[in-house]
Amino acid sequence: KTVSLPKTDFSMKANLPQREPLMLEFWSKSGIYQKMTSKNSDKKKFILHDGPPYANGNIHLGTALNKILKDIVIKYKLMSGFSAPYIPGWDCHGLPIEYRLMKELGKTKATIDKIEFREKAALFALKYMGVQREEFMRLGCFGDWENPYLTLKNEYEGTIISVFRNLLKKGYIYRKLKP
């Protein structure tokens, strides 16, 4: 004897395209991250020093996994009673950004003005920082997304130069044939 199933849609449809924007709006408007961090602001600190991704394209499986795992740790620490603020950041300098930009422009180092290239590289990095921020937020990662640290901001560049100067003074920086 055969059994017929009722005519019901048994697909695993969760209406994500309709529900995701509502969920993101709820998280943003209700200020869940801000409530979690302010509740524990006077508690013992847990600081996760996050090595920032390069702002050179959309996130990929590696950057997503990295950020999600860190987000789990931060949320666990917040729920465990720690003050665990998370300030996301992006590395806005370096070869990965330069390579992607050169490829996008269809140019080589010899065919572009250095000052013009630096300006374009900064705009390129800021563009992809915004793209990645939205992608991380869509993954449900919490953080102070409105106040990230960016290595192209003057205060960060100044700190890097200051630390480099101190390393140079102490003799840790020198020039030889190999790095």
Side-chain angles (χ1 to χ4, degrees):
K1 182 176 176 179
T2 60
V3 177
S4 319
L5 294 173
K7 295 201 182 248
T8 309
D9 182 10
F10 283 102
S11 69
M12 297 297 286
K13 188 173 181 180
N15 294 323
L16 187 60
Q18 292 79 30
R19 294 182 60 190
E20 181 189 31
L22 298 173
M23 185 172 52
L24 294 172
E25 183 182 4
F26 170 75
W27 287 343
S28 177
K29 283 186 176 178
S30 63
I32 292 175
Y33 170 74
Q34 291 76 10
K35 287 177 183 174
M36 290 172 75
T37 53
S38 66
K39 177 185 168 206
N40 297 347
S41 63
D42 60 339
K43 304 289 193 294
K44 184 177 177 184
K45 288 250 186 239
F46 175 83
I47 304 295
L48 178 71
H49 295 284
D50 184 12
Y54 280 107
N56 68 334
N58 294 77
I59 63 173
H60 52 73
L61 192 57
T63 51
L65 178 63
N66 184 323
K67 196 63 73 185
I68 290 168
L69 291 174
K70 290 173 182 174
D71 185 64
I72 291 168
V73 170
I74 291 295
K75 286 175 180 166
Y76 170 77
K77 288 296 188 177
L78 283 166
M79 289 187 284
S80 297
F82 285 84
S83 172
Y86 176 67
I87 299 169
W90 280 269
D91 192 340
C92 302
H93 297 97
L95 197 54
I97 292 169
E98 293 174 9
Y99 177 76
R100 281 286 310 269
L101 180 58
M102 288 288 189
K103 193 173 175 183
E104 188 175 286
L105 295 172
K107 303 231 179 202
T108 64
K109 282 186 178 183
T111 61
I112 192 167
D113 177 69
K114 287 182 171 127
I115 301 299
E116 177 189 355
F117 180 70
R118 287 185 189 126
E119 290 169 356
K120 287 181 187 262
L123 292 173
F124 182 85
L126 289 172
K127 170 188 165 185
Y128 280 106
M129 181 279 303
V131 167
Q132 288 183 6
R133 174 176 50 200
E134 293 303 314
E135 292 171 336
F136 289 137
M137 289 169 70
R138 287 185 65 195
L139 290 173
C141 297
F142 289 171
D144 189 356
W145 296 109
E146 299 309 312
N147 300 298
Y149 73 90
L150 307 173
T151 60
L152 62 68
K153 285 187 177 177
N154 290 339
E155 59 267 25
Y156 290 101
E157 288 180 336
T159 301
I160 291 166
I161 290 169
S162 176
V163 169
F164 182 80
R165 183 177 50 242
N166 289 338
L167 292 171
L168 185 63
K169 284 179 183 177
K170 292 179 180 179
Y172 295 120
I173 308 296
Y174 55 91
R175 183 175 287 197
K176 293 246 177 163
L177 292 174
K178 295 183 179 185

